[in-house]
Amino acid sequence: MTTAVHGASVDIPTRDGIADAYLSHPDTRAPHPAVLLYMDAFGLRPHLKAMADRLAAAGYVVLVPNVFYRHGRAPVVELPEFINPAERPEIIGSLQPAARTLTPEGAMRDATAYLDWLVASPLTTGGPAGVTGYCMGAGLALRTAGTHPDRVAAAAGFHGAYLASDAPDSPHLLADRITAELYFGHADQDATNPAEQIDRLDTALTAAGVRHRGEVYAGARHGFTQADTAMYSAEATERHWTALLDLFGRRL
């Protein structure tokens, strides 16, 4: 039987302002484990809210912040109901001003605020949280696990971008601080996460003794979980749900 959920818009105070967010939780009186869900670049929109609802129905309190809140409340740009960057390349360009407002340092100040808010909520059990992220959000999930090792029990990333780049602040460089168990579902058709970066991430996590698993989803494109985009794969998305719920079920 599917658990009924309740979803609502909430505002999260941060050191840099007010982050608008979506909160979904089981419609029961009992507290549940907290999950922080990081958006892709297209941002907080109906599809991500539906993903949060599905995760909440599995027994979690799910917070989806608009990480571009410094630029404006969601939606930060006008989006079509179906997103196809090949036909509408200007959409990617229109997101760049918003993306530039989010630095790694700012993102981790925000992560502190999001985790504080979840712990303080009577809806949650108050224990360590789970984190999952999509596209750019996968990097935020990895960075959050490394920045808050005592507050994140499990973290996952799907079709992540630039997880183990040559940049001096690449998120994989935090591997030696991570205590959470990690899972990554990589797209094999993804210019933002080529095979050498997948290998570099695995090597860093293995060397640091981090319990983790990374899988390459054959035939999947960058963005494969996003049903309102041309990159969507129903098969890969269901595989993602199986892996994510297994991770959270064991660790949360």
Side-chain angles (χ1 to χ4, degrees), residues 4-189:
V5 302
H6 178 76
S9 296
V10 295
D11 284 346
I12 312 295
T14 78
R15 285 174 55 187
D16 298 336
I18 301 294
D20 52 309
Y22 179 72
L23 181 72
S24 186
H25 59 88
D27 199 8
T28 65
R29 294 182 181 275
H32 294 83
V35 171
L36 176 58
L37 191 158
Y38 281 121
M39 64 186 224
D40 63 348
F42 297 126
L44 185 54
R45 60 196 192 280
H47 170 65
L48 281 187
K49 293 178 181 181
M51 292 185 74
D53 289 346
R54 178 165 174 175
L55 193 50
Y60 301 98
V61 176
V62 186
L63 182 69
V64 191
N66 165 27
V67 302
F68 293 157
Y69 71 87
R70 293 172 181 83
H71 186 77
R73 296 180 72 87
V76 294
V77 300
E78 186 176 347
L79 294 170
E81 288 187 13
F82 184 75
I83 304 167
N84 186 348
E87 294 180 355
R88 296 281 305 277
E90 77 279 2
I91 293 174
I92 302 299
S94 70
L95 290 164
Q96 292 306 309
R100 283 194 290 268
T101 67
L102 186 68
T103 64
E105 296 78 17
M108 290 306 97
R109 288 196 301 272
D110 294 345
T112 300
Y114 303 148
L115 293 170
D116 284 347
W117 192 91
L118 283 166
V119 166
S121 171
L123 296 170
T124 74
T125 58
V131 186
T132 185
Y134 302 87
C135 303
M136 58 166 272
L140 294 175
L142 178 57
R143 201 178 293 279
T144 301
T147 304
H148 296 285
D150 57 331
R151 307 184 71 179
V152 177
F158 299 91
H159 43 83
Y162 309 110
L163 298 176
S165 71
D166 295 326
D169 58 359
S170 175
H172 82 285
L173 298 175
L174 296 172
D176 61 354
R177 298 188 55 191
I178 294 171
T179 59
E181 182 178 346
L182 308 183
Y183 176 88
F184 294 96
H186 305 291
D188 74 343
Q189 299 177 38

Side-chain angles (χ1 to χ4, degrees), residues 201-212:
L201 174 63
D202 181 71
T203 298
L205 295 174
T206 299
V210 177
R211 184 177 180 183
H212 71 285

